[in-house]
Amino acid sequence: MKIILYQPQIPQNAGNIVRTCAVTGSDLIMVRPLGFSTQDRWLKRAGLDYWEGVKVSFIDDLPAYLSQQNAPFYFFSSKATKLYNSVSYSPDALLIFGSETTGLPASFFETWPDRFVKLPMVPHARCLNLATSAGIALYEAWRQQNFQFESES
């Protein structure tokens, strides 16, 4: 599976997500522009020594990237109505999360409304932390694969 962070702003979140990717055998894709330098000490500190074990890549145009993929993809948004656990995730699924400050563009929802899911929260709550959300989503998708790595399937 792959986690995609759309224009992430907080280096500690990205670093924590790298750790989650490392322990689940997942890849990380970050969509530029980023709100931090990849040399940022907070990014490195949060990811500790997990960076070497994770395939991290960077892209500039998420819609163009998605148009070239055969894998199913899902956007996670507090504005969605469908719950994240109502989806059947495949081992090659792309799990997409918006920026901590601006979320995902409305144009994505207009283009792919059926691809949006949400994590349940109490009414009037703003949103979960990005790294927490990515962890919850990734572990649900991985649970559905019986916690098998892609190379084990």
Side-chain angles (χ1 to χ4, degrees):
M1 276 175 261
K2 295 179 183 171
I3 295 286
I4 299 178
L5 302 180
Y6 182 80
Q7 300 179 351
Q9 300 296 306
I10 300 173
Q12 294 91 332
N13 283 333
N16 280 315
I17 292 168
V18 164
R19 292 176 74 170
T20 302
C21 287
V23 302
T24 60
S26 302
D27 297 341
L28 176 62
I29 299 169
M30 290 193 262
V31 182
R32 292 184 282 249
L34 310 180
F36 50 85
S37 164
T38 55
Q39 301 306 308
D40 188 297
R41 70 182 177 97
W42 294 109
L43 180 70
K44 299 293 185 193
R45 183 168 187 254
L48 298 174
D49 58 349
Y50 293 94
W51 286 96
E52 287 79 36
V54 177
K55 181 181 174 189
V56 179
S57 55
F58 301 89
I59 61 173
D60 295 309
D61 187 338
L62 182 56
Y65 175 82
L66 293 176
S67 73
Q68 299 170 359
Q69 302 303 307
N70 290 323
F73 55 91
Y74 303 94
F75 296 95
F76 289 77
S77 170
S78 60
K79 296 175 179 68
T81 56
K82 184 172 25 174
L83 288 177
Y84 78 110
N85 62 348
S86 67
V87 171
S88 294
Y89 301 97
S90 64
D92 60 344
L94 308 173
L95 311 179
I96 306 165
F97 300 85
S99 162
E100 298 94 332
T101 55
T102 58
L104 292 161
S107 62
F108 291 3
F109 190 79
E110 293 164 7
T111 305
W112 300 289
D114 59 324
R115 301 292 183 132
F116 274 72
V117 296
K118 71 176 182 176
L119 299 173
M121 296 183 290
V122 297
H124 310 296
R126 279 191 344 193
C127 62
L128 283 167
N129 169 275
L130 177 61
T132 301
S133 297
I136 292 169
L138 182 56
Y139 267 83
E140 170 58 19
W142 197 30
R143 181 196 67 78
Q144 290 184 15
Q145 304 307 312
N146 294 315
F147 301 106
Q148 299 261 325
F149 291 104
E150 279 189 52
S151 61
E152 295 176 355
S153 331

